[in-house]
Amino acid sequence: MKALRFAAFGGRDVLRFDDDVPEPPISSHQILVKVHAAGLNPVDAAIRSGYMKNNLPSLPATIGVDFSGEVVRVGDAVVELKVGDQVYGQAPLHNGGSGSCAQLAAAKADMAARMPRNTDFTQAAALPLAGVSAVHAIEDLIKLKAGQKILIHGGTGGIGSIAIQLAKSLGAQVATTVRLNAFNFAQDLGADVVIDYKHEAFKDQVKNYDAVLNASGNAAMTSLSFKVLKRGGILVSMRDEPDPELAKKYAVIVHKQLTQTNTRHLNRLRDLVEGGAIKVCIDTVYPLDEAQEAFRHLEEDRLRGKIVLQIPG
């Protein structure tokens, strides 16, 4: 089968196409998926660069985490999914998967689910990590309620764009920090307050908020956010560990979020998409043979939503 692989850790130049990769075996708790599309995330570039290298199988290995596709085989212990199901989920190298940027991928059944019926494969592939991260942060950690106020950093990225929509669907007031050229995009997502963080100090624009979600790649946003929260507020960071001393000083609850994709969250995400609360935001779709350019875009440009690779049949 065809796959996008890397035989050494490093930059985009280590990525190679291999036309003769063996079909990945599956265990009793796994599924084998014919992959139609793979969503790219910053963690993919990090893995390629050596992040979590002690948890990876021997190289060469197939890159990619998020996928959408069709189930072609199920393990003996799998009961929720069957051959022919259209699914989405994750196949991470560091957690039992075989990598998603391939024609076939092995994935744990409890990291997959039937994809939303109102999405195609390209849209579904954009959802798993970003969508589950937003659901976990907003509903599980923050427990956001109608009438509350939340500030979301990185509102035009994959996670932030979904988090804004989810927060609005729950009846919250949403502020977000973006670059000036992304104002209209953030407003279209439903943000009530849009702040150009390059030219405006967000701590002067919002006060006494119930929650902050830092879904940006900027660690400085986390420490600066304590000042906008009310006492007893909640700060969730996907970038860094919030300072416990500042948490104590401002009487704020803090979480460093490590997203764990599972079927429960994927099912909840599917319901939100099918119900119209969340629309999929895709920045650019690339064919698999333009993967290096796709990674350049991911790593160097400001995105509005997700980048997705189409996998040839």
Side-chain angles (χ1 to χ4, degrees), residues 31 71 74 78-83 85 87 108-109 112-114 263:
I31 59 174
V71 178
V74 298
V78 176
V79 296
E80 295 297 325
L81 298 171
K82 64 182 186 301
V83 172
D85 282 345
V87 295
K108 291 182 177 179
R114 293 178 184 87
T263 300

Side-chain angles (χ1 to χ4, degrees), residues 189-205:
L189 292 171
D192 302 288
V193 179
V194 183
I195 302 164
D196 173 13
Y197 71 93
K198 284 291 186 180
H199 301 97
E200 299 176 291
F202 69 85
K203 63 184 178 62
D204 296 331
Q205 305 295 317

Side-chain angles (χ1 to χ4, degrees), residues 145-208:
K145 298 179 178 62
Q148 291 188 317
K149 296 186 293 184
I150 183 171
L151 170 63
I152 298 171
H153 296 302
T156 58
I159 297 172
S161 61
I162 294 177
I164 289 174
Q165 296 177 79
L166 177 54
K168 288 301 297 180
S169 75
L170 296 172
Q173 179 178 326
V174 181
T176 189
T177 54
V178 300
R179 287 176 177 260
L180 181 61
N181 61 1
F183 256 58
N184 291 340
F185 180 68
Q187 289 175 331
D188 289 344
L189 292 171
D192 302 288
V193 179
V194 183
I195 302 164
D196 173 13
Y197 71 93
K198 284 291 186 180
H199 301 97
E200 299 176 291
F202 69 85
K203 63 184 178 62
D204 296 331
Q205 305 295 317
V206 295
K207 299 288 185 183
N208 207 34

Side-chain angles (χ1 to χ4, degrees), residues 13 34 38 45 85 98 112 137 139 152 167-168 171 213 230 234 243 254 261 297 303:
D13 58 323
K34 179 182 179 182
D85 282 345
S98 64
E139 295 191 341
I152 298 171
K168 288 301 297 180
L213 169 61
K230 63 172 58 174
I234 300 176
D243 188 331
V254 296
T261 299
H297 192 177
L303 305 182

Side-chain angles (χ1 to χ4, degrees), residues 68-289:
S68 67
E70 299 174 74
V71 178
V72 295
R73 190 177 305 149
V74 298
D76 294 340
V78 176
V79 296
E80 295 297 325
L81 298 171
K82 64 182 186 301
V83 172
D85 282 345
Q86 296 184 344
V87 295
Y88 72 147
Q90 294 193 325
L93 289 170
H94 57 279
N95 194 4
S98 64
S100 64
C101 294
Q103 290 177 309
L104 293 170
K108 291 182 177 179
D110 60 6
M111 296 181 72
R114 293 178 184 87
M115 67 187 224
R117 290 171 293 181
N118 58 340
T119 63
D120 58 24
F121 287 115
T122 299
Q123 293 168 325
L127 284 168
L129 181 59
V132 167
S133 295
V135 168
H136 182 48
I138 298 292
E139 295 191 341
D140 294 348
L141 299 179
I142 296 173
K143 297 179 172 61
L144 193 67
K145 298 179 178 62
Q148 291 188 317
K149 296 186 293 184
I150 183 171
L151 170 63
I152 298 171
H153 296 302
T156 58
I159 297 172
S161 61
I162 294 177
I164 289 174
Q165 296 177 79
L166 177 54
K168 288 301 297 180
S169 75
L170 296 172
Q173 179 178 326
V174 181
T176 189
T177 54
V178 300
R179 287 176 177 260
L180 181 61
N181 61 1
F183 256 58
N184 291 340
F185 180 68
Q187 289 175 331
D188 289 344
L189 292 171
D192 302 288
V193 179
V194 183
I195 302 164
D196 173 13
Y197 71 93
K198 284 291 186 180
H199 301 97
E200 299 176 291
F202 69 85
K203 63 184 178 62
D204 296 331
Q205 305 295 317
V206 295
K207 299 288 185 183
N208 207 34
Y209 267 48
D210 298 282
V212 173
L213 169 61
N214 185 8
S216 75
N218 188 344
M221 293 295 208
T222 301
S223 58
L224 292 171
S225 293
F226 284 96
K227 294 182 179 181
V228 310
L229 286 162
K230 63 172 58 174
R231 294 180 68 83
I234 300 176
L235 171 58
V236 175
S237 174
M238 296 181 180
R239 176 63 178 81
D240 58 324
E241 189 78 45
D243 188 331
E245 292 303 316
L246 288 177
K248 182 178 180 180
K249 175 182 176 180
Y250 289 98
V252 166
I253 300 166
V254 296
H255 298 281
K256 168 65 170 74
Q257 181 175 334
L258 295 173
T259 300
Q260 298 293 325
T261 299
N262 56 56
T263 300
R264 178 177 70 85
H265 281 132
L266 288 167
N267 285 339
R268 170 58 177 158
L269 181 60
R270 180 185 65 222
D271 290 343
L272 289 163
V273 174
E274 290 181 348
I278 292 173
K279 65 178 180 180
V280 183
C281 299
I282 294 178
D283 185 286
T284 311
V285 179
Y286 291 92
L288 186 60
D289 60 6

